[in-house]
Every structure is written in structure tokens, then in C-alpha cells.
Amino acid sequence: MKDLRNEDAPILEALNRYKSMRVLPFDVPGHKRGKGNPELTEFLGEKCLTIDVNSMKPLDNLCHPVSVIKDAEELAAKAFGAKHAFFMVNGTTSAVQAMVMSVCKKGEKIIMPRNVHRSAINTLILSGATPVYVNPGTNKEIGIPLGMSVKDVEKAILENRDAKAVLINNPTYYGICSNLKAITDLAHKYGMKVLVDEAHGTHFYFSDKLPMSAMEAGADMAAVSMHKTGGSLTQSSLLLINNDINKGYVHQIINLTQTTSASYLLLSSLDISRRNLALNGDKIVDRIIELAEYAREEVNKLGGYYAYSKELIDNDAVYDFDITKLSICTLGIGLAGIEVYSILRDDYDIQIEFGDLGNILAIISVGDEDLAIERLVSSLYDVKRLYAKDGAGMLDHEYINPEVVLTPQEAFYSEKESIPIEKSEGNICSEFVMCYPPGIPILAPGERITKEILEYIDYAKLKGCSLTGTEDEKIEFINVVKG
């Protein structure tokens, strides 16, 4: 094994060597280092286009790494405390798919919270695995789903001893964390694997001031969105494995769905960002915490808004909280989160991560400055001053317990018919309905359509949420299982 150091960046170094070699390209991509597409080169820059290259001997191959990509993955595993790290270029969606498909085959059970990202339920459609949903706790005061209670997970495990795995999303979009260590130990006691959708938790690995990471808790696999809070390019991610997980088999599963034409722009961004975090992660996260805590304090001084934090902790459905998340409840000013989101974007040129029916989330990163926080806070003050109204009739929750009738795969591939959504009550849904972001389904394939769900969808439309998932782009018709 090579003597690899945190300071190394094997993919970056290989690309720099390649650029100095003046290789004549008779391979793909067809733009030939930008020469064939001057307009694209002008837009993205020559430096970018010259490293948009194909896999080749000096640059290794993501489908079967033996040199520089292998070295870069080993360094990532070291930085994240994992047995191995796979570089993913199809986003964390592909990492979640690989996790589930590595441990669950068709018909086998997996225990998971229902407020998972659509990528997890998509995986059930692909694999045929059967979900056992654990309904999360809810906080109606701020209108959000919480984490999973250990008692609820234990009940699900005892009632489904044949389940192969437990999947946990930690943290949630809002920053809520479950008791990861207790759930992991419990699942392992009964011979189940633990998979963690850690899309929003990259930074957990680089600070002792934040909740426990999946690898520290002893989880078997974790999907980590490096691009969200780790500084890499959009669509680049990591899949971490631990314990006795078979690396070779997981790689075979990854290669079922991941591209054979991996982008070196994405790969090099993972390599560079890993090096930066390994060398400076504690300082980076300290700065993010400082900015987020200041922003939360200033927002709460405005009145009406509620930027929540560790006071939500109840050692049950809220075991811990990610203090880097600036999650703000807007119900106190009589506006849905999506309304505040739209006003900030349209009137103040401020793009936040998402707005739902009761909350907004502003992502704070090392790329932010004090002045940016001040602008956000002052804009929120203006929104309150100009648009606040009586909150009567506001929806008080973001989660409805589903009635699961069929597995997602059975429902999705069943014979179906399209009917007006207002006449669909009582039918079994065969597609998704969700607000995106955050991408947590309101309805998933196999679930009964109820009056409460239809009222929720109507309310979301009224408030301006971006609804997606159905074949019908206007969400006026919905596909249901043909009776």
C-alpha cells in the first residue's frame, strides 16, 4: 500500500500531469478538450474543458479503480473513518440505491422512516424490497416531521425479525437527528444492517461540536452528499462502507446504475474537497457554526419567526440537532414557508434552499460572510413588516401517516388508470406526489389516497409549492392502481 497523506490529491495530481503531456485525443468526449465547441469553452473556461476527459490509463477508471482513483478513495475512507469510500458521480441518489440494493433483494424487508427522500422509495421500486415504515414523530407547533424514536424502531424490529436492514435519514432536512448509536446497536443485536442517508451530514465528520456521524455510530453504510456541505461540485457524493460489508459486491451493485463515463470534473472536486476537509475541516465547521448561531440569534430577535435549535431535543424523536442548519418556522407571521421563500427570491434576490408549508431552510456554509447573513436577516424583517398576516387556517403539520396497501414496486408496475385527483379518494396511488425540494413524498406508490392527503395537496398548491412526481405536470390527474 502506498504511503498516502492527507495532503495528497491523487486525481488532481494525475489531471495536472495529463495536461502537461499534450496528448492528442482520438477518444470521447467529442468536444476534444473544448476545441470542437468554442461557445462552451468560452462559457465554462478552457481550464474546465481540458480536464473534461474520458477514463484512460493515466487517469484510472471509476468502474474498476486500480491507481489514482483507488488512492483517492482510500484517502476519503481515512478522512471519514470508514473501511472504504466509493466516489459517486450520479449524486447521493445512486449511493442510497446502492446501499439498499446491496443488502435487500426482491421481497426482503427494510425498516425505514416514511419521511425519507424519494431516492429511498425509488430504490424500493427498482429492487422490489418491501418497506416497513416507522412513522416519525411530529412537532405541530413548527409543522415538521422529527426523527425516529428508538422504541418505535424496536417495535418494528420485533414485529419484523426477518427484516434485512434499518435505514435512517440523519440528519433530516431540518437538522433533526435520531439516536443513531442506540438504533445501530439495536439493529445489530438482531442481525440487521444499518444504512444511513447522511446526505446533509458531511460536516458531522469534522467537528466534535456536532451530532454523531454514521461511521462513528458503527453503521454499516452511509450515503454522504459531499456537494451539499462538503464543498464539491453538484452531483458528487460518497458511499461509505464499514464493518463486514463486502466491498466487491457493493461495487458490482454500484456499477449496475452508475455511469461508465465518470466526469473528472466531479471526481477531482471530490478529491480536492476531501483534502480540504481532512486538513482544515475543524476550522471550516467552526466558522459555519459561528455564522449559523449568529444568524439564528438575529432572526429570533425579529419576532414572529422561530429559528429553532437544540431546545427541541427530547432524547427521543429529537435526540440531537445540527446547529449549522438555519431552519426557520414562518407560521408566526401568518405565512407559509414557501411564500417567504418566493418573496425572498422574487423581491430580494435571495435564493434559499427550500420553503415548505411552515418552514424555510437557509444553508449556511464556509462560503458565506457576515454581510450575507445581515442581508438575509434584514430581508426577513422586511418580509414580516410588509407581508405578515393573521395565521388563521394555516396547516399545522408536514407529515401524514400513510396507509400502505401494496409495495412500491407492485403499485408502480401494476395496471393503472389516470383519474382526476379530486375524485381519487380511496384509490391506491401508483406514482409519487411530492413538494420538491425537499423531495419527501406526500404520496408514494402503493399508498391509499385519503381525504386528508387531498386537502394537504390542495393547500400546497394554493400556497405555491412546486409539486412533482405525477405523469400529469399540472397535478390535476393522478395514476391509480386499476381496480
Side-chain angles (χ1 to χ4, degrees), residues 116-321:
V116 289
H117 188 265
R118 70 170 294 174
S119 60
I121 300 178
N122 280 345
T123 307
L124 303 179
I125 294 172
L126 293 172
S127 68
T130 300
V132 176
Y133 291 129
V134 175
N135 289 316
T138 55
N139 184 320
K140 290 195 173 185
E141 194 176 305
I142 54 178
I144 65 168
L146 305 174
M148 289 195 294
S149 161
V150 176
K151 286 183 180 178
D152 288 344
V153 175
E154 183 174 31
K155 182 174 183 289
I157 287 174
L158 293 174
E159 291 176 355
N160 299 274
R161 293 287 300 275
D162 55 341
K164 297 296 181 182
V166 177
L167 186 145
I168 309 159
N169 52 329
N170 201 75
T172 70
Y173 232 127
Y174 305 94
I176 305 294
C177 295
S178 302
N179 189 341
L180 198 55
K181 183 73 169 69
I183 293 172
T184 299
D185 291 345
L186 182 65
H188 285 166
K189 178 182 173 183
Y190 289 95
M192 299 176 190
K193 300 299 184 187
V194 177
L195 318 177
V196 183
D197 181 348
E198 212 167 23
H200 291 270
T202 306
H203 47 299
F204 286 7
Y205 289 87
F206 302 98
S207 176
D208 57 8
K209 298 172 185 173
L210 297 176
M212 183 179 288
S213 70
M215 293 296 101
E216 186 183 354
D220 298 288
M221 305 177 80
V224 180
S225 284
M226 275 286 277
H227 70 92
K228 285 186 170 70
T229 56
S232 65
L233 290 178
T234 295
Q235 202 175 307
S236 59
S237 181
L238 296 176
L239 174 57
L240 307 177
I241 64 172
N242 200 10
N243 304 329
D244 61 349
I245 294 294
N246 184 328
K247 171 188 168 185
Y249 181 66
V250 172
H251 202 182
Q252 285 185 324
I253 297 295
I254 289 171
N255 283 341
L256 290 176
T257 58
Q258 182 158 256
T259 178
T260 56
S261 303
S263 165
Y264 279 87
L265 298 172
L266 300 181
L267 293 174
S268 60
S269 81
L270 283 169
D271 198 23
I272 294 166
S273 300
R274 180 275 314 156
R275 180 172 69 177
N276 194 22
L277 289 171
L279 296 175
N280 308 301
D282 54 346
K283 293 176 184 175
I284 290 170
V285 176
D286 277 352
R287 175 60 176 156
I288 296 170
I289 291 172
E290 179 188 345
L291 286 167
E293 293 282 44
Y294 172 71
R296 190 159 22 246
E297 183 181 340
E298 292 301 301
V299 168
N300 284 331
K301 287 178 184 176
L302 300 177
Y305 297 105
Y306 174 29
Y308 38 92
S309 186
K310 283 180 172 284
E311 71 279 359
L312 296 182
I313 291 174
D314 61 7
N315 294 312
D316 188 30
V318 187
Y319 184 75
D320 207 344
F321 186 83

